[in-house]
Amino acid sequence: MRITDLLTEETIVLNMSASSKPEAIDELVDKLDEAGRLNDRGGFKKAIEDREGQSTTGIGDGIAIPHAKTNAVQNPAIAFGRSQEGLDYESLDGQPTHLFFMIAASEGANNTHLETLSRLSSFLMDNKFREQLEVAQTKEEIIAAINAKEAEDEEPEEEANDQPSGKILAVTACPTGIAHTYMAADKLKATAKEMGVPIKVQTNGSSGVKNRLTKEDIADAAAIIVAADTKVDMEDFQGKHVIEVPVAKAIHEPKELINKALNQDAPVFQGSGGGSKESSSEKGQRTGFYKHLMNGVSNMLPFVVGGGILIAISFFWGINSADPNSAEYNRFAEMLSIIGGANAFFLLVPVLAGFIASSIADRPGFAPGMVGGLIAITQTVEGAGNGSGFLGGLIAGFLAGYLTLGVKKMLEGLPAVMDGLKTVLLYPVFAIFGTGMIMLLINPALTSVYTWLFDLLDSMSGSNLALLGLIVGGMMAVDMGGPVNKAAYTFGIAALDAGNYTFIAAAMAGGMVPPLAMGLATTFFKNKFTKEERETGKAAYPLGAFFITEGAIPFAAADPARVIPSMVAGSALAGMLTMLFGIGLRAPHGGIIVAPLVEGGVGQILLYLLAIIAGSILSAIVVGFLKKDLRKA
């Protein structure tokens, strides 16, 4: 099948009217829809936007290749658009984009279609071909240029794979496996040919693995480049120097990668049993400390979102509906609270710690990380029922990970016959023991912060109320469920029991701000957050509304230096305003549900909501200012 079987004159826009990225997507989607290639225009557009959310398809050099594989496509097709003036498509090189190829692959597209679509991506690496498309005056000239390029490509090409010594291997892969996968492969091969370097590139595309690397290839290789934005099986690469980079890096910096491979300037990959060394891995910014954090956060997210939403729903029957001793008791609400709070939320910190540790030390780190996280939340001192919270879990995760690496190093000298016992016996016993002992020793000290803070607040209760409101509100955002948060909240409960209803109002307002603020930040500062973070931000809105501060933990854990100070600022403002407004609240929990219980009528209720909104906006603006723009990172 030829490219021009999929790209026809009726799917070409020679002079696009779009002046922005969203308009360009709309214009090309409309062209495909008008040509009868789609069965669901909205579904296809969403698939395109979802792909853009993973990483921009503006690859640079004036080219964008938006693409999607979805059942919203009736027949596989390509739309071509050209903008003479160029527009901002959030391109990787920051330059205006002039040429657009929108690839529409159907869910059931066969290999012939997929290979044809991928071939177009490869052609765009040719500067001469791109120039022909830029100067073409008619649709017929566009078609002719593509046909001529295909005819040229059909000529047999010699591969520089006959020199075993110093040979470089590579694997390329992108989420959809249609465009970037093959562009990266072609760029690596073309550059290696110019440099006189033998190379073999495996492509993990939608149509399957092509040019698969064999054990013989791997054995002879000097180094292996893995240019991928999706998971690649690297178990066979053990003992080899492996360079891990985003797929776009291979498109734009192939010479640097090849030189690096020739110099073996990369860590030796140890496989899942040994833990790969962190050195010059260049997978965006997600390396080292940040990579380990994100591994813990991403695996914790389902517990935060799922558990938090279930807890929030349990309040629909009343704030005490999960309590069998309350007149509001509802069995279904109790079940939701048990599932979401007593179980899903209970696992937050252990899961965070377990996956941080496994990111550092691979699978052997998971068990000690889980145990360390569990100790962080269960081993407390008198009067502190929440342990050291998620901050203790962070410490436990990194402790378990690096301690496990130390155990591995310590046992390296054992005879090969003992290898089978290492993973199933020696690693878990020594790593769990070491992590558990250290956490048991340090966790009481971490947890004792709780009682100290409570006593401090109690001693200040007779002083300036606005200042105390600022402190109580700010403390709710420091560790979002940890000892500092619980000290402030418990102080509010104690004051409530004593007949003072203002402190619990300040605490609840401060605790609602972080998730609401992160929801706002991900909505209005989209370029500062990944797609996954933006999706989490949507779930943060209801969590914040129902006073589930833990909804902001994923953001705080991933970027504590920027997020936590931002949240503290907004929460402190909300707490201070509630005290200045003289807000009294008789309910200890519930968030927006209990707002009608604010003393003083509608005016006071509106002022309470104003305090929460003001704090949320302040935190959202601060975090939006502090975080880096991902397009420039």
Side-chain angles (χ1 to χ4, degrees):
M1 176 177 285
R2 304 184 71 82
I3 291 173
T4 48
D5 292 329
L6 303 176
L7 173 62
T8 62
E9 292 184 20
E10 61 181 346
T11 59
I12 293 177
V13 185
L14 273 183
N15 296 294
M16 295 178 66
S17 60
S19 59
S20 66
K21 180 174 181 175
E23 290 177 3
I25 290 174
D26 269 330
E27 190 168 352
L28 294 173
V29 170
D30 285 342
K31 198 65 178 175
L32 288 169
D33 193 36
E34 291 167 6
R37 302 297 193 270
L38 309 178
N39 55 41
D40 180 358
R41 182 197 179 281
F44 178 67
K45 181 184 175 184
K46 184 178 185 305
I48 289 287
E49 291 173 338
D50 287 346
R51 173 60 186 88
E52 293 296 325
Q54 295 173 354
S55 62
T56 181
T57 58
I59 62 170
D61 295 326
I63 304 168
I65 312 179
H67 55 278
K69 183 180 179 183
T70 168
N71 56 17
V73 175
Q74 183 169 316
N75 297 306
I78 303 169
F80 169 73
R82 187 175 64 188
S83 171
Q84 297 289 359
E85 294 183 1
L87 58 88
D88 180 7
Y89 200 83
E90 300 175 356
S91 224
L92 291 173
D93 59 4
Q95 299 302 308
T97 302
H98 297 272
L99 302 179
F100 302 83
F101 285 89
M102 181 171 280
I103 298 175
S106 58
E107 196 66 57
N110 59 37
N111 286 355
T112 303
H113 283 118
L114 294 172
E115 288 170 2
T116 304
L117 295 170
S118 303
R119 196 160 63 249
L120 170 64
S121 304
S122 301
F123 289 173
L124 292 172
M125 293 292 96
D126 185 334
N127 293 333
K128 182 179 177 183
F129 175 61
R130 294 202 306 271
E131 290 170 3
Q132 289 177 319
L133 298 179
E134 289 169 355
V135 301
Q137 298 298 309
T138 65
K139 295 180 180 181
E140 290 81 2
E141 289 182 30
I142 297 289
I143 299 294
I146 293 172
N147 284 333
K149 180 61 179 174
E150 285 214 278
E152 174 189 324
D153 190 62
E154 287 169 0
E155 298 175 4
E157 181 180 338
E158 294 182 10
E159 291 214 18
N161 287 341
D162 55 346
Q163 306 171 46
S165 177
K167 183 175 180 179
I168 303 302
L169 303 181
V171 180
T172 62
C174 67
T176 53
I178 295 175
H180 293 65
T181 299
Y182 300 95
M183 297 171 74
D186 285 347
K187 197 70 174 180
L188 286 170
K189 287 190 287 187
T191 304
K193 186 176 181 180
E194 291 174 4
M195 297 171 65
V197 176
I199 192 170
K200 180 176 180 179
V201 184
Q202 171 182 307
T203 54
N204 293 8
S206 285
S207 57
V209 175
K210 301 292 183 184
N211 210 27
R212 186 182 294 276
L213 304 181
T214 66
K215 290 186 177 180
E216 291 75 17
D217 292 326
I218 296 168
D220 293 336
I224 303 168
I225 300 167
V226 178
D229 292 330
T230 188
K231 185 175 176 61
V232 171
D233 183 3
M234 301 195 299
E235 282 303 299
D236 290 340
F237 301 163
Q238 291 186 46
K240 290 292 178 180
H241 295 275
V242 176
I243 303 168
E244 295 183 71
V245 296
V247 68
K249 199 94 167 178
I251 297 174
H252 296 287
E253 301 177 19
K255 187 172 183 179
E256 290 83 348
L257 291 178
I258 292 170
N259 279 327
K260 197 167 187 178
L262 288 173
N263 295 328
Q264 296 186 326
D265 182 13
V268 174
F269 183 69
Q270 302 294 340
S272 61
S276 56
K277 297 177 182 177
E278 295 290 343
S279 177
S280 55
S281 174
E282 299 178 34
K283 213 154 192 175
Q285 291 185 343
R286 299 180 183 272
T287 58
F289 183 82
Y290 185 68
K291 172 190 170 186
H292 305 321
L293 264 180
M294 286 308 300
N295 193 57
V297 170
S298 62
N299 284 285
M300 180 185 67
L301 273 178
F303 297 87
V304 174
V305 177
I309 295 296
L310 291 178
I311 293 172
I313 294 174
S314 75
F315 293 135
F316 287 172
W317 289 269
I319 59 173
N320 296 311
S321 56
D323 182 0
N325 298 316
S326 171
E328 297 177 335
Y329 174 68
N330 179 283
R331 173 57 181 159
F332 184 62
E334 181 189 22
M335 293 168 71
L336 291 176
S337 181
I338 291 171
I339 295 168
N343 291 280
F345 262 37
F346 182 74
L347 291 172
L348 287 185
V349 172
V351 168
L352 174 70
F355 280 98
I356 288 174
S358 66
S359 177
I360 297 168
D362 297 302
R363 282 177 292 184
F366 183 72
M370 286 285 290
V371 172
L374 192 61
I375 290 173
I377 62 171
T378 58
Q379 300 302 308
T380 67
V381 295
E382 184 178 354
N386 201 60
S388 53
F390 96 90
L391 292 178
L394 289 176
I395 294 172
F398 284 98
L399 169 65
Y402 288 111
L403 193 146
T404 303
L405 285 183
V407 170
K408 289 180 178 181
K409 189 73 175 176
M410 180 180 69
L411 300 177
E412 278 181 351
L414 291 180
V417 71
M418 297 286 290
D419 284 351
L421 288 176
K422 288 181 182 178
T423 303
V424 299
L425 177 62
L426 301 180
Y427 291 163
V429 169
F430 287 113
I432 289 175
F433 171 77
T435 302
M437 289 297 291
I438 295 173
M439 285 302 298
L440 285 172
L441 290 172
I442 68 173
N443 204 56
L446 295 173
T447 309
S448 62
V449 172
Y450 170 89
T451 52
W452 176 79
L453 288 171
F454 182 85
D455 292 341
L456 178 64
L457 288 175
D458 190 48
S459 67
M460 295 174 59
S461 59
S463 59
N464 187 297
L465 293 182
L467 175 61
L468 191 55
L470 183 144
I471 294 172
V472 169
M475 287 174 64
M476 293 297 293
V478 170
D479 53 0
M480 304 173 199
V484 178
N485 170 284
K486 283 297 182 286
Y489 182 66
T490 305
F491 178 74
I493 295 293
L496 181 67
D497 290 338
N500 186 323
Y501 308 129
T502 56
F503 292 117
I504 192 64
M508 196 178 303
M512 293 171 69
V513 164
L516 292 173
M518 292 314 303
L520 290 172
T522 55
T523 299
F524 294 103
F525 301 98
K526 293 182 178 180
N527 295 330
K528 305 293 184 80
F529 299 92
T530 65
K531 180 189 176 185
E532 183 181 40
E533 288 171 331
R534 294 197 297 272
E535 291 301 313
T536 304
K538 295 175 184 177
Y541 282 116
L543 295 178
F546 289 105
F547 183 39
I548 300 173
T549 317
E550 288 86 349
I553 286 179
F555 302 98
D559 192 1
R562 296 184 179 88
V563 171
I564 292 179
S566 305
M567 298 304 101
V568 169
S571 292
L573 174 63
M576 182 183 70
L577 289 176
T578 61
M579 298 296 280
L580 286 175
F581 296 152
I583 304 296
L585 182 62
R586 292 175 177 267
H589 209 295
I592 196 69
I593 289 179
V594 299
L597 301 180
V598 168
E599 296 182 325
V602 175
Q604 288 295 91
I605 293 174
L606 293 177
L607 286 175
Y608 187 47
L609 296 177
L610 175 63
I612 295 168
I613 293 169
S616 300
I617 291 174
L618 174 63
S619 284
I621 291 173
V622 174
V623 80
F625 174 77
L626 292 179
K627 286 186 73 70
K628 295 179 180 178
D629 191 326
L630 296 182
R631 294 175 301 176
K632 301 175 182 178

